[in-house]
Amino acid sequence: MLNKEENIQYSRHILLDEIGVEGQEKLKSAKVLVIGAGGLGCPILQYLTAAGVGTIGIIDNDIVDQTNLQRQVLYTISDIGKSKARVASERLAALNPFVFFKVYEELLDNDNAVELFSAYDIIVDGSDNFPTRYLVNDACVLADKPLVFGSIFKFQGQVSVLNYKDGPTYRCLFPSPPSPGAVPNCSDIGVLGVLPGIIGSLQANEVIKMVTGIGEVLRGKLFYFDTLTMQQQVIAFKKNHDIEIDQLEEDYDFFCGISSYGFEEINAVELKKHIEDYQILDVRSFEEFNHFNIGGTHIPLESISDHIMELNGKKPIVVCCQSGIRSKRAIELIREKRNDLHLINLSNGLSAF
């Protein structure tokens, strides 16, 4: 039941015939897990909190970085270096004291996904990479939970509701992941700051519709939005009954072509301490390199195959890009022609600088 203060807090919802007291009580009873407290996660969390979803889980092992502030509006300059999940929960609690937050400052992985999802009614994916998206999808199928999917790319976004009432899953829409580097993330190519606010709000909207039983849910439909042209499309897709998910992939990085085997890595802190002991190979674009670099040799990834023989092995070579993904691809290409070089990947890329 709603108490007196909750009736005041949610009065504008309660005035809606489609929601009313009954719908608001359903929201209060709901348990929703949000994966990621970043660009998409911030608006998802804000609007689910404001709507009165009773229990909200937040899983994110990342910390606030200054580059986040252009779009991740839950955070301020004073939050830099702090846990996103922890800061988000504290700020959201100030917005709505009637919501219970469960914070998971950890990485979502094969060991915790299915068990964690089982404790919630709806899963909302605010992640920004393909291994996590496939893991989330498969874990939702195994835990029998609906999934609200969202993704952003520069100026464009997508939203869908998956695994809902025996509807299609993410694998029905995208059976195979794209090749590594084919769809770079926002740390590599940028993103319009308001875009995750739009897409994340739409994801929260789908959650509210499912919980209260109003409207038409995006089951078997992919909503596409372009901020530059304001064009919108809704693309219908069907469940592929030939796709069976009865267990998690052994390694989602490997499944998505981002090999997790055989990569020696160094983090930004260690590299800064001992940078004189290494050669630096930067494989980002010319624009990225000119904007910021830490020196060394610059060969864009698309040109690396033409310059492999020019590399020397006098010192170990730390290969870097913005996020640590393109650099892995560069290492794989170099290894095809050279086995005499000591190659090290900069984990999490130059964004860590």
Side-chain angles (χ1 to χ4, degrees), residues 244-268:
E244 295 184 5
I245 301 169
D246 52 17
Q247 63 181 13
L248 298 178
E249 299 283 346
E250 183 176 344
D251 187 318
Y252 281 88
D253 281 344
F254 187 78
F255 171 72
C256 291
I258 307 169
S259 176
S260 59
Y261 302 114
F263 283 107
E264 181 181 350
E265 294 197 309
I266 188 171
N267 61 40

Side-chain angles (χ1 to χ4, degrees), residues 246-315:
D246 52 17
Q247 63 181 13
L248 298 178
E249 299 283 346
E250 183 176 344
D251 187 318
Y252 281 88
D253 281 344
F254 187 78
F255 171 72
C256 291
I258 307 169
S259 176
S260 59
Y261 302 114
F263 283 107
E264 181 181 350
E265 294 197 309
I266 188 171
N267 61 40
V269 174
E270 289 301 311
L271 180 59
K272 285 178 182 178
K273 288 180 182 178
H274 307 288
I275 196 165
E276 68 278 358
D277 297 331
Y278 301 100
Q279 301 177 78
I280 305 297
L281 173 59
D282 191 323
V283 299
R284 298 174 300 159
S285 68
F286 286 103
E287 291 79 10
E288 290 173 289
F289 185 81
N290 290 334
H291 177 68
F292 168 76
N293 68 79
I294 58 172
T297 302
H298 176 233
I299 306 174
L301 177 60
E302 59 267 24
S303 305
I304 199 77
S305 296
D306 299 328
H307 299 276
I308 291 175
M309 302 313 295
E310 299 171 16
L311 301 173
N312 72 71
K314 294 181 179 179
K315 291 182 179 180

